[in-house]
Amino acid sequence: MERLLVLLALLCAGHAVHQDLSENVFTFPLESPTSSVKLTSSGVQSIIAMTVCMRYFSSVTRAQSLFSLAVPSESNAFLLFKPSVNVYRLHVQGTALDISGLPHDTDDWNSVCWTWESQHGLTTLWVNGKRSARKILRDKAIITGAPSIVLGQDQDTYGGGFDQNQSFVGDLTDVHLWDSVISPCQIRFFMEGSAFNPGNLVNWNDLQYSITGSVHVENSDFDKVTCQ
């Protein structure tokens, strides 16, 4: 059954592209029930720790999905979701935890890193250089099976089940995923736009992806480079 689900996900994906996106962003200009980016990760079938880092720019104040990782047995295996402006909702293996009180800039870039480890269930969210208190989320959980990673939509089924009212609208860039909890120093380097060790599962600078619907690859303005 799992092989069939993986095959169907591959057949439904658009043409895969492999490139360095270090100077680019994915732009999602409008609400959509289909527009998304499918990321291909390095071959891993069992995950007991994870860190995801990314940057996003959005004017939207409604609920929207930032990062969705599903496996055949669980659609919300590792989901970073924003139910409202000042709240982040973290999902691990279907269990959710809300984090509030961290900085948020509407109509500006927000840098986010989320860490989780299985042994104790410790999870921490970092936003724009500030971190949350450490919380417990699904201790002893193991994420197994071929991951389906989607940007721009929340997977309610493996590789699909999208809801337009939860679609992301704005820009996403610098998406990295590790199968470990990276150090606070590495997170700080990421937040500041300094050199850091890129993700070993998903690396924005060496990214394999496929686009469905109205998603555009545009030049990045995160560093606010002064034009000559």
Side-chain angles (χ1 to χ4, degrees), residues 14 25 48 65 79 124 136 140 156 190 194 213:
V25 303
I48 58 172
S65 175
L79 170 66
T124 308
I136 301 295
K140 304 300 188 293
D156 286 335
F190 175 86
S194 303

Side-chain angles (χ1 to χ4, degrees), residues 9-10 12 35 38 48 76 93 117 196 202 206 213 226:
L10 290 172
C12 292
S35 295
K38 176 72 179 291
I48 58 172
N76 292 333
Q93 288 293 75
E117 56 88 10
F196 64 95
V202 172
D206 185 23
T226 302

Side-chain angles (χ1 to χ4, degrees), residues 82-111:
K82 279 187 71 32
S84 60
V85 171
N86 294 313
V87 179
Y88 291 84
R89 183 165 294 159
L90 316 178
H91 294 252
V92 173
Q93 288 293 75
T95 300
L97 172 69
D98 283 358
I99 301 289
S100 59
L102 293 174
H104 171 84
D105 294 322
T106 303
D107 287 327
D108 203 350
W109 286 106
N110 292 276
S111 298

Side-chain angles (χ1 to χ4, degrees), residues 28 48 64 72 79 101 110 127 175:
F28 300 77
I48 58 172
Q64 57 182 345
L79 170 66
N110 292 276
V127 181
V175 182

Side-chain angles (χ1 to χ4, degrees), residues 44-90:
V44 60
Q45 292 290 319
S46 181
I47 298 172
I48 58 172
M50 206 176 296
T51 301
V52 62
C53 289
M54 64 192 308
R55 309 187 208 279
Y56 73 93
F57 186 115
S58 181
S59 303
V60 171
T61 57
R62 60 155 173 78
Q64 57 182 345
S65 175
L66 297 179
F67 181 92
S68 173
L69 186 153
V71 292
S73 61
E74 175 55 62
S75 60
N76 292 333
F78 196 74
L79 170 66
L80 178 58
F81 189 80
K82 279 187 71 32
S84 60
V85 171
N86 294 313
V87 179
Y88 291 84
R89 183 165 294 159
L90 316 178

